[in-house]
Amino acid sequence: MSFFEVKNIVKNFGGLTAVNNVSFTVEKGEIFGLIGPNGSGKTTIFNLINRFYPLTSGEIYFQGQRIDGLPTHKICELGIGRTFQVVKPLRRMTVLENVMAGAFLHTGSIARARAKALEVLDFCALAHRKDVEAKSLTIADRKRLEIARALATEPKLLLLDETAAGLNPKEQEEAIAIIQKIRDAGITIIIVEHVMKVIMGISNRILAINFGREIARGTPREIANHPEVIKAYLGDAYA
Amino acid sequence: MTAKSWLTPTIIAVVALVLPFLLRDPYPQHILIMILIWATLGTAWNLLGGYAGQVSFGHAAFFGLGAYSAGLLFLHLKISTWWGMLLGPFVATAVAVPIGLICFRLRGPYFALATLALGEIFRLVFTNWVKFTHGAQGILILSTFPTKLPYYYIALAIWGLAMFTLNRLINSKLGYYFVSIREDQDAAESLGIPTTRYKMYAFLPSAFLAGLTGAFYMNYIAFIDPHVVFSLGDISVMVILVVMMGGVANPWGAPVGAAIYIALNEIFRAWLGSANVLAFGILVCLVILFLPNGVMGELGQIRRTAFRQKPAAAGGGQK
Ligand SMILES: Nc1ncnc2c1ncn2[C@@H]1O[C@H](COP(=O)(O)OP(=O)(O)OP(=O)(O)O)[C@@H](O)[C@H]1O
Ligand SMILES: [Mg+2]
C-alpha cells in the first residue's frame, strides 16, 4: 500500500471535466511534481484531495485509509497540509497569529502554539515579519506564510500550489531551499509549479497533465524530453 | 496575565461599584443601568459578529426570548420573573442550536438572513398568539425593588459575566479560531479548524448572554411587548450600530458604544424627540467614515495623532 494514492479521480464542473480519470501514487519522503499548462486541472486535483470539492468519482487513500468523503478539516487533522495558489492570508491577523492558527491543531495552549509558530517562522525565514499584519506582506512573504501556516499543522504530506509563482529569481532560490528543507525534515511533498527550474530541480517523479488527463509520467529528465509534454507547453509545431 | 492587564479591569470594577453612590438620583442610575444592558447585549453580539464574523441581524430574537421567558413564567405560573433569568438564557440558547446547525454549514448570507427572519417571526408570533402571550398588550409586572440600586448591581454582575466570558474566550485557542474563521473560512478549514463547530461555540454563548439580558430587562422595566423586545430597528440593528460605534472585535467596543448611544439618546431625545434614532444613525455613519474600527479600535490611532507620533510597526490591531 502506497503512502498516498489517487485512484481514477474525476471531477465535472457542469459540462466541463476538469479532472478526467487521473491516478497516481506518492511514496513516503519523495517530492512528487504535478505539471500542466494553465487550466489543466492541477489546482482542482488539490481541491479534490483536501475536499474543497467532492469527487465526481474515484478514490483517494492516505496511509491506507480512504479519505475522500472526509471533511476538509479532518483531512488536515490526518496530516495533509496545503497552500493556496491564490494566497489566503488571515488578513487582519499578524504573521505570528496566522501561523499560531495552524499550530493550535495539536495544542490548546497559547504558549505552546506560540512556541511552535515561532519555530516554524524561523524555519521559513519569516521570523522578522512576525508582528506584521498579514495583509501588508509582499507577495513573496505571503507565499512563504502559506507554507509556514501549513507546516504549523505538522503535516506528513504537504501540497504546494505554485509557491514560486510571481517571485524573482533570488526569491525562487530561497523558495527551493525551503522546500528542500521541508523534504529533509521528512515531510512528503506534492508540488504544482509553473517555474520549470523549480520543479525539474527538486522533484523525484513528475506527472504531467493536460485538459485534466495524464499525458506523461516519469523522472524530470524523461518529462522534459517527452513529446506530449513539449506539445502541451509549446504547441503542435514543436512536437 | 501581567499585572498591567489586570489594572484597567480592576479600576473599572471599583469605579463601577462606587458610581451609584456618587450619582444618587434615580435618573442617572437609570442611565447607568441602560448602558449596562446595552453593553451586555453588545458584548454578546460582538463575540459572534465581531470576532467570529457571523453577523446576526436578529439578536432581538434571543433578547426577546429571554424577556418573554421571564414574563410568561409570571403570567402562567405566577412564578417570580427572576426565575426567568435562569430559564431565559437556556431558551435562547436552545433556539440558537438548530439555527446554527442549519446555517453554519452553508456559505453566503444565510446566517444573516435567517437571524433577520427569526427576530421577525418571533415578533409576529408573540404579537398574534394572544392567548399565550397577551399579544401586543404585553406583560406588565410589579417591580420587585423600590430603588434603582439593586437593579444596578444585578445589571453590573451580568455585564461582568459577559466581559469575563468574552475575554476568556478570545484569549484562548477559541479566539484565534473565531478570528481565523472570520478572516477566511477556506483557509481555516484547511488548517484543520472545524468551522461549523467553532461558529457554534461563538453563537451559543452569544445567544445565552442575549437571553440573560432580555430576562433582566423584563425584571427591570417591568413591562414588555413584542414590538419592543423583538424590535428589528430598536434592538437587532441598534446593537450592531452600538458595537460599530464602539469598536467591532474590540472587547471594550460594546461598553463604549453603549455609553455613547445611551448618552446621546438622552441628549437628543430632549432636543429632537423621536429623531434621536436618526441622529445616532448619522453619527455611526460618520464614525464608520472617519474611524472605521470604531472609537476603541481607533484609540491607538487617535492617541498617535494627538501626540504626533509615527505609527508603530503595523501590529495585531484586532486583539
Ligand atoms: N469551481 C469551479 N467551477 C467551475 N470550473 C472550475 C472551477 N474550478 C476550476 N474550474 C475549471 O477547471 C479547469 C481546471 O482549473 P484548475 O484551476 O484546476 O487549473 P490549473 O491547472 O490549476 O491552472 P493554473 O495553472 O492556471 O493554476 C479550468 O478550466 C477551470 O476553469
Ligand atoms: Mg492552479
Side-chain angles (χ1 to χ4, degrees):
Chain A
M1 173 114 309
S2 291
F3 178 68
F4 180 75
E5 179 171 16
V6 163
K7 235 183 187 168
N8 306 110
I9 57 168
V10 176
K11 180 63 190 177
N12 294 329
F13 290 114
L16 174 90
T17 302
V19 177
N20 195 347
N21 206 24
V22 169
S23 300
F24 61 90
T25 61
V26 180
E27 300 307 327
K28 198 165 165 42
E30 76 172 330
I31 297 183
F32 185 88
L34 184 57
I35 66 168
N38 285 114
S40 56
K42 306 178 297 291
T43 299
T44 304
I45 290 178
F46 278 9
N47 286 338
L48 293 171
I49 294 174
N50 90 327
R51 202 162 197 280
F52 268 17
Y53 306 140
L55 289 169
T56 302
S57 67
E59 292 157 29
I60 302 173
Y61 294 88
F62 179 57
Q63 294 185 310
Q65 180 184 355
R66 186 163 176 181
I67 61 163
D68 53 284
L70 297 179
T72 300
H73 63 87
K74 202 80 197 167
I75 286 168
C76 176
E77 213 180 296
L78 285 176
I80 302 181
R82 77 167 289 183
T83 69
F84 293 94
Q85 176 179 5
V86 180
V87 292
K88 295 182 183 292
L90 305 170
R91 294 170 53 83
R92 284 175 293 175
M93 294 167 82
T94 66
V95 167
L96 179 65
E97 288 166 349
N98 265 263
V99 182
M100 285 173 73
F104 275 119
L105 185 60
H106 296 292
T107 177
S109 139
I110 292 201
R112 249 175 276 147
R114 202 183 148 81
K116 173 77 196 170
L118 286 170
E119 180 193 313
V120 171
L121 284 172
D122 228 23
F123 185 90
C124 295
L126 204 54
H128 60 294
R129 308 290 278 160
K130 73 176 163 57
D131 294 323
V132 176
E133 272 196 328
K135 66 178 174 192
S136 46
L137 289 179
T138 62
I139 184 68
D141 284 342
R142 284 182 193 209
K143 295 268 182 186
R144 222 176 267 193
L145 176 60
E146 286 281 323
I147 299 178
R149 209 169 54 182
L151 280 180
T153 66
E154 299 182 357
K156 301 180 187 108
L157 173 66
L158 183 59
L159 315 179
L160 297 174
D161 197 350
E162 308 225 1
T163 47
L167 305 189
N168 66 38
K170 181 173 164 280
E171 290 164 347
Q172 279 175 16
E173 291 295 335
E174 290 167 358
I176 293 175
I178 290 172
I179 294 166
Q180 282 170 332
K181 254 169 64 179
I182 295 170
R183 190 227 7 234
D184 294 343
I187 297 169
T188 310
I189 296 171
I190 304 178
I191 180 169
V192 164
E193 199 59 71
H194 267 304
V195 184
M196 283 302 147
K197 187 180 79 183
V198 174
I199 198 149
M200 290 297 172
I202 59 178
S203 302
N204 300 89
R205 291 186 301 138
I206 292 175
L207 173 71
I209 60 170
N210 198 10
F211 300 111
R213 280 178 187 282
E214 169 175 346
I215 54 171
R217 66 169 73 200
T219 63
R221 186 182 297 274
E222 286 162 5
I223 290 294
N225 298 317
H226 199 288
E228 283 293 327
V229 176
I230 295 168
K231 197 166 89 183
Y233 273 90
L234 300 171
D236 281 326
Y238 293 85
Chain B
M1 276 213 166
T2 59
K4 202 174 168 225
S5 65
W6 281 108
L7 196 62
T8 315
T10 309
I11 292 173
I12 287 171
V14 170
V15 170
L17 284 169
V18 300
L19 207 53
F21 294 101
L22 305 174
L23 304 167
R24 283 163 179 276
D25 289 336
Y27 175 67
Q29 289 183 352
H30 170 71
I31 301 288
L32 291 177
I33 294 168
M34 290 312 289
I35 290 175
L36 289 171
I37 287 174
W38 277 94
T40 312
L41 190 61
T43 301
W45 187 92
N46 210 0
L47 172 63
L48 176 68
Y51 288 91
Q54 307 304 306
V55 174
S56 160
F57 279 96
H59 254 44
F62 309 111
F63 179 84
L65 282 172
Y68 265 95
S69 296
L72 291 172
L73 274 182
F74 171 78
L75 197 64
H76 293 293
L77 304 175
K78 297 288 168 246
I79 292 175
S80 158
T81 47
W82 292 105
W83 288 104
M85 291 186 52
L86 216 57
L87 179 66
F90 289 101
V91 171
T93 310
V95 168
V97 170
I99 302 293
L101 285 180
I102 295 166
C103 297
F104 287 154
R105 283 165 206 286
L106 305 169
R107 295 293 174 98
Y110 294 101
F111 180 70
L113 294 175
T115 48
L116 178 73
L118 190 72
E120 290 298 277
I121 287 167
F122 277 117
R123 187 172 61 79
L124 291 172
V125 169
F126 278 69
T127 308
N128 291 302
W129 193 4
V130 178
K131 255 200 198 129
F132 185 56
T133 65
H134 278 195
Q137 188 194 327
I139 298 173
L140 182 69
I141 59 162
L142 290 174
S143 291
T144 315
F145 305 113
T147 68
K148 302 278 181 199
L149 215 55
Y151 292 106
Y152 174 83
Y153 284 110
I154 294 165
L156 185 63
I158 296 172
W159 175 62
L161 174 72
M163 290 299 278
F164 177 76
T165 306
L166 180 80
N167 277 288
R168 281 303 289 264
L169 289 176
I170 65 172
N171 291 310
S172 73
K173 172 174 173 170
L174 274 85
Y176 284 79
Y177 274 15
F178 292 164
V179 178
S180 301
I181 291 167
R182 178 191 77 198
E183 291 299 304
D184 194 315
Q185 194 177 325
D186 286 339
E189 273 281 332
S190 80
L191 292 173
I193 302 175
T195 52
T196 306
R197 191 187 325 154
Y198 276 85
K199 287 179 200 171
M200 287 301 261
Y201 291 164
F203 189 21
L204 299 186
S206 179
F208 185 95
L209 288 169
L212 184 61
T213 315
F216 173 75
Y217 180 89
M218 166 84 258
N219 281 289
Y220 176 57
I221 302 290
F223 171 73
I224 53 169
D225 80 54
H227 295 285
V228 170
V229 296
F230 290 114
S231 168
L232 175 62
D234 294 341
I235 301 217
S236 290
V237 172
M238 192 52 76
V239 72
I240 302 177
L241 296 183
V242 163
V243 176
M244 287 180 91
M245 164 74 83
V248 175
N250 186 300
W252 294 102
V256 168
I260 296 171
Y261 166 55
I262 296 296
L264 290 179
N265 210 5
E266 293 304 311
I267 297 166
F268 285 155
R269 195 164 53 198
W271 280 3
L272 302 171
S274 59
N276 70 72
V277 175
L278 182 69
F280 185 69
I282 292 170
L283 196 75
V284 170
C285 290
L286 290 176
V287 166
I288 292 167
L289 273 178
F290 295 105
L291 305 171
N293 292 323
V295 173
M296 289 309 291
E298 301 288 346
L299 206 60
Q301 186 68 40
I302 296 167
R303 257 194 231 135
R304 274 199 295 277
T305 314
F307 294 106
R308 292 181 185 282
Q309 286 172 354
K310 286 228 176 79
Q318 294 300 314
K319 271 194 274 171

